[in-house]
Amino acid sequence: MRKFKLGLKANRGGLVKELGCQIVTQLIIDRYKHLQEDKLVFGKMNYWSMCKKLKTVMTACGIEKAISYHCGRHSFATLALSKGMPIESVSRVLGHTNIVTTQIYAKITSQKLDNDNSSSPLRESVVRIKPNTTMDDLMRYAQKVYERWGVRAIQIHIHRDEGHYADPDDPESWITNLHAHIIWDWMNHDTGKSYKLNSNDCMQIQNMVADSLGMERGVSKEETGAEHLMRNDYILQKQKKELNELKEQTEEAQNDLQTTIDDCNLLQTEKEYARDLTGFASGSSR
């Protein structure tokens, strides 16, 4: 894969990102290199002129829905999320300054995936792992699930190359998102029907993951009464929690600072009072 610098000049912060470019993409760019100006990939093209050309293509293809080049942005976001691309990465590629904006695409995708999963015998799960988790560990976990419920793992992928920067400007702030994707076959091939698991079964699976991979199990929702959240809603809730904690820390620091200022003012007042008493005493003695 070759790389090139693509300058994004739009209402998304005017960022310059270094994007991976596949060979076919590079060939297309090279094909129209004579139209490029000022090192711009697409030259000084007028957006609305391009939309007029797009309408010509739409008419030729029999497309009646009103679309624009911006629709490609929405299509990319929903497809990337449905294929498992982390929402943090999608947000950065789109140039969103707030992940809440990306949540719009995520909710649409989550609804679609829920509908698709309800009619498919193939399901995908994502398991958080530790840096030293091995494929053998995951296969042992998958075997336990098969022995207990008959659900068979047909693919296991360990991901150690995804994550995000806590501070986009600090390369040292990279946080790796260690996880594994497991594709399950829920079909009972003797009956031709899918296995049915209830909420208690799902809770047992979570316990099984923790035991098999040596992970710390969270407190059950039956004990806490917490609401079940989709992945993206969980991320949003976590960010809100971190923001509230930061506000509390800021308020505490401000209170400590104010206390220090008050103590300094009190000390200064006491010094001035003591100096006045000393002067008064000296004057009286004379």
Side-chain angles (χ1 to χ4, degrees), residues 5-281:
K5 290 261 185 171
L6 177 61
L8 302 179
K9 187 178 181 182
N11 296 328
R12 304 293 175 184
L15 303 175
V16 176
K17 301 177 181 293
E18 185 173 305
L19 304 178
C21 174
Q22 301 210 8
I23 299 299
V24 64
T25 308
Q26 187 67 59
L27 291 175
I28 294 173
I29 292 174
D30 292 341
R31 170 67 177 80
Y32 295 97
K33 197 169 184 178
H34 64 284
L35 298 177
Q36 298 174 13
E37 301 177 34
D38 298 333
K39 297 183 179 180
L40 296 176
V41 174
F42 302 107
K44 295 180 179 178
M45 296 183 179
N46 182 282
Y47 177 76
W48 299 111
S49 297
M50 291 193 297
C51 286
K52 289 182 180 179
K53 296 292 184 181
L54 181 60
K55 288 184 178 180
T56 303
V57 177
M58 290 164 52
T59 302
C61 296
I63 299 176
E64 298 180 356
K65 180 181 177 180
I67 62 175
S68 66
Y69 282 98
H70 192 73
C71 293
R73 180 182 178 85
H74 291 254
S75 298
F76 163 77
T78 53
L79 287 173
L81 289 168
S82 66
K83 294 296 183 180
M85 187 175 182
I87 191 172
E88 299 88 354
S89 300
V90 175
S91 182
R92 284 183 58 80
V93 172
L94 293 178
H96 291 162
T97 56
N98 193 326
I99 200 171
V100 175
T101 306
T102 321
Q103 291 282 339
I104 297 174
Y105 304 104
K107 288 184 178 179
I108 296 174
T109 305
S110 297
Q111 293 171 0
K112 183 179 185 302
L113 287 176
D114 288 343
N115 294 334
D116 291 346
N117 284 338
S118 63
S119 60
S120 173
L122 298 181
R123 309 286 177 86
E124 180 179 11
S125 66
V126 179
V127 179
R128 294 189 63 181
I129 62 176
K130 298 188 296 186
N132 61 348
T133 299
T134 65
M135 183 62 74
D136 289 339
D137 295 331
L138 293 167
M139 291 181 68
R140 281 194 294 270
Y141 155 64
Q143 182 62 27
K144 290 181 180 179
V145 173
Y146 174 70
E147 293 172 355
R148 172 64 179 82
W149 292 282
V151 179
R152 186 188 299 274
I154 58 177
Q155 287 185 12
I156 301 177
H157 303 278
I158 294 179
H159 287 201
R160 304 183 191 275
D161 58 346
E162 299 177 5
H164 67 281
Y165 289 100
D167 181 357
D169 297 324
D170 182 9
E172 301 297 327
S173 67
W174 175 260
I175 300 176
T176 304
N177 177 18
L178 298 172
H179 64 281
H181 290 259
I182 305 178
I183 306 297
W184 303 91
D185 180 6
W186 286 54
M187 177 68 72
N188 183 331
H189 294 275
D190 293 330
T191 63
K193 297 181 180 180
S194 296
Y195 291 103
K196 305 297 182 183
L197 273 66
N198 56 37
S199 58
N200 184 60
D201 292 326
C202 293
M203 183 175 65
Q204 291 185 44
I205 288 179
Q206 292 176 323
N207 292 333
M208 193 175 290
V209 171
D211 293 339
S212 301
L213 304 183
M215 305 289 285
E216 182 179 352
R217 178 71 168 94
V219 181
S220 170
K221 292 183 175 62
E222 293 184 352
E223 298 180 27
T224 62
E227 179 186 1
H228 174 72
L229 297 175
M230 297 297 291
R231 173 181 178 273
N232 299 316
D233 293 329
Y234 169 77
I235 292 175
L236 183 58
Q237 184 187 75
K238 182 180 178 182
Q239 290 179 332
K240 288 181 178 179
K241 180 181 178 181
E242 292 174 348
L243 180 59
N244 289 334
E245 290 177 351
L246 181 60
K247 287 182 178 178
E248 291 177 359
Q249 293 174 3
T250 302
E251 291 176 357
E252 184 178 351
Q254 289 176 340
N255 291 335
D256 291 342
L257 177 60
Q258 186 60 50
T259 300
T260 302
I261 293 174
D262 292 341
D263 290 342
C264 290
N265 290 336
L266 178 60
L267 180 60
Q268 182 64 28
T269 301
E270 291 176 348
K271 286 182 177 180
E272 292 177 355
Y273 181 70
R275 186 171 58 249
D276 291 343
L277 285 178
T278 302
F280 178 76

